[in-house]
Amino acid sequence: MAADENIRQVLGKGIWQATTLVIIGIIFGLAVNALRLDGLPLFTRAGSSQTVIKPIEKISLPDVFQLYTRKKVVFVDTRDPYDFAQGHIPRALNIQPGTTGAMIDALRSSQGKPIITYCSGPDCPLAEKLAQELKTLGISDVKVMTEGWYAWQNSGYPVEGNP
Amino acid sequence: MSQMKAISLVARLLIGVTFLYAGIVHIADPSGFAQAIAAYRILPAWAINPLAVSMPWVEALTGLSLVGGRKTSGASLLASLMLTVFAAALTASLMRGLDISCGCFTTAPEAEKITWWYLLRDIALLTVSIAIFSLEAYLSSSPPESQDPATKLKP
């Protein structure tokens, strides 16, 4: 009987303590999310938050070049800074997945122009990963140029950098 | 008695460090964690981001409590609850044949895909977590004087 009583007491105390931990955790989480640069939007419009699950749209090389000539696009090169320095699409930004924090304001201010991410080629997952990340951060107009940097370069399109 | 305390300490450290580590990994990459949660296709879209920003902190706090031995009964109860939820999510995903990564200790989507081993690991941790709670109840049920009957005789 005493043991039963004791378990009930410990359980009661446990539930109370667990609730406290959950509340403190939620407060910390929301506060830190509000403060950090790459914080997630908590209340997204119905439908727009679906972008998390929707597959990322792909765009072909010729279509990308058309947008490039009209200067109505922001390119994001997801390769490492060394490869980027060797050569990239003119005016491209260099951002790797997981490092969007510092660049997010620049990307948000470019809204209105579609963002096109690319990596070295179709086998590199970084361009798609970054596009997913941007969508989660509330930037919806993002496409992936699957063919990647080598296809761009091999097509003889303009490049920038110091090979 | 002291043997029980030693077992409880080892168990607390095991679960505590595990939760603390997972919490830190998820805090570092909220967007990656949100994608990992979304990949399970269990929660509605509106719930994903709020959960992705708050759950890592609950995990980390739970881990910290267990490591530090504070609010142990609450933390072990919470750890058991979370591990039960993870087990249910893993089972549902495995049964539906979803080809997704766990998102447990890494947020990289290209990480190893979930298998029944992940469920087994979760259940093992759950068992230890429940044991911590039970030990906590047991240890607090033994009155302190029973540790040293000689103290009773002293005036």
Side-chain angles (χ1 to χ4, degrees):
Chain A
M1 279 304 130
D4 262 11
E5 185 61 30
N6 191 260
I7 286 173
R8 212 169 298 138
Q9 251 182 22
V10 175
L11 196 64
K13 192 173 84 175
I15 291 171
W16 176 243
Q17 288 177 351
T19 313
T20 315
L21 285 171
V22 169
I23 292 170
I24 298 173
I26 291 173
I27 292 172
F28 262 104
L30 294 177
V32 171
N33 186 61
L35 292 175
R36 64 197 290 174
L37 287 167
D38 59 349
L40 302 181
L42 293 182
F43 304 104
T44 35
R45 276 175 289 117
S48 72
S49 50
Q50 289 289 337
T51 50
V52 175
I53 311 164
K54 263 191 200 164
I56 300 289
E57 216 180 306
K58 308 283 188 322
I59 182 163
S60 71
L61 195 58
D63 291 345
V64 173
F65 185 65
Q66 278 218 336
L67 285 173
Y68 168 81
T69 51
R70 284 187 272 152
K71 297 195 176 179
K72 280 189 176 158
V73 64
V74 176
F75 285 104
V76 179
D77 189 319
T78 56
R79 296 170 306 150
D80 62 66
Y82 177 80
D83 287 334
F84 179 78
Q86 300 268 308
H88 53 260
I89 298 179
R91 301 186 301 276
L93 303 170
N94 186 211
I95 309 171
Q96 286 79 41
T99 64
T100 38
M103 305 296 277
I104 195 71
D105 286 335
L107 290 172
R108 282 210 174 112
S109 65
S110 71
Q111 285 292 51
K113 288 180 184 175
I115 293 172
I116 295 182
T117 65
Y118 68 90
C119 190
S120 50
D123 293 332
C124 169
L126 298 181
E128 182 139 2
K129 177 152 199 259
L130 185 83
Q132 284 282 9
E133 218 172 289
L134 294 178
K135 290 222 168 190
T136 321
L137 293 170
I139 297 174
S140 52
D141 197 359
V142 188
K143 294 188 176 81
V144 176
M145 179 175 86
T146 322
E147 287 103 322
W149 162 248
Y150 292 118
W152 175 276
Q153 194 184 26
N154 293 336
S155 305
Y157 295 148
V159 299
E160 194 176 80
N162 308 302
Chain B
M1 192 68 176
S2 62
Q3 209 174 3
M4 289 293 187
K5 277 189 173 162
I7 294 170
S8 168
L9 176 70
V10 173
R12 277 199 290 115
L13 287 178
L14 173 73
I15 303 295
V17 171
T18 307
F19 268 82
L20 193 57
Y21 177 74
I24 292 169
V25 168
H26 295 151
I27 288 168
D29 183 14
S31 151
F33 187 44
Q35 285 164 41
I37 298 173
Y40 279 89
R41 293 183 219 168
I42 290 172
L43 289 174
W46 59 263
I48 291 168
N49 283 2
L51 188 71
V53 302
S54 49
M55 197 171 86
W57 285 91
V58 177
E59 287 177 324
L61 276 175
T62 303
L64 212 58
S65 293
L66 289 171
V67 171
R70 304 272 168 176
K71 296 191 191 304
T72 310
S73 41
S76 55
L77 204 61
L78 200 53
S80 310
L81 184 73
M82 284 193 268
L83 288 164
T84 308
V85 174
F86 301 157
L90 278 169
T91 309
S93 306
L94 287 164
M95 289 185 72
R96 286 187 294 165
L98 289 186
D99 188 24
I100 59 172
S101 59
C102 176
C104 309
F105 302 110
T106 167
T107 50
E110 60 273 19
E112 205 187 317
K113 305 298 175 201
I114 51 169
T115 59
W116 290 103
W117 283 112
Y118 282 74
L119 181 65
L120 213 62
R121 181 180 69 181
D122 184 281
I123 291 169
L125 290 171
L126 176 61
T127 312
V128 178
S129 183
I130 292 171
I132 298 172
F133 182 81
S134 314
L135 276 171
E136 192 65 20
Y138 172 79
L139 287 170
S140 67
S141 72
S142 321
E145 56 265 30
S146 69
Q147 289 177 35
D148 184 8
T151 50
K152 274 186 182 172
L153 303 171
K154 285 179 187 166

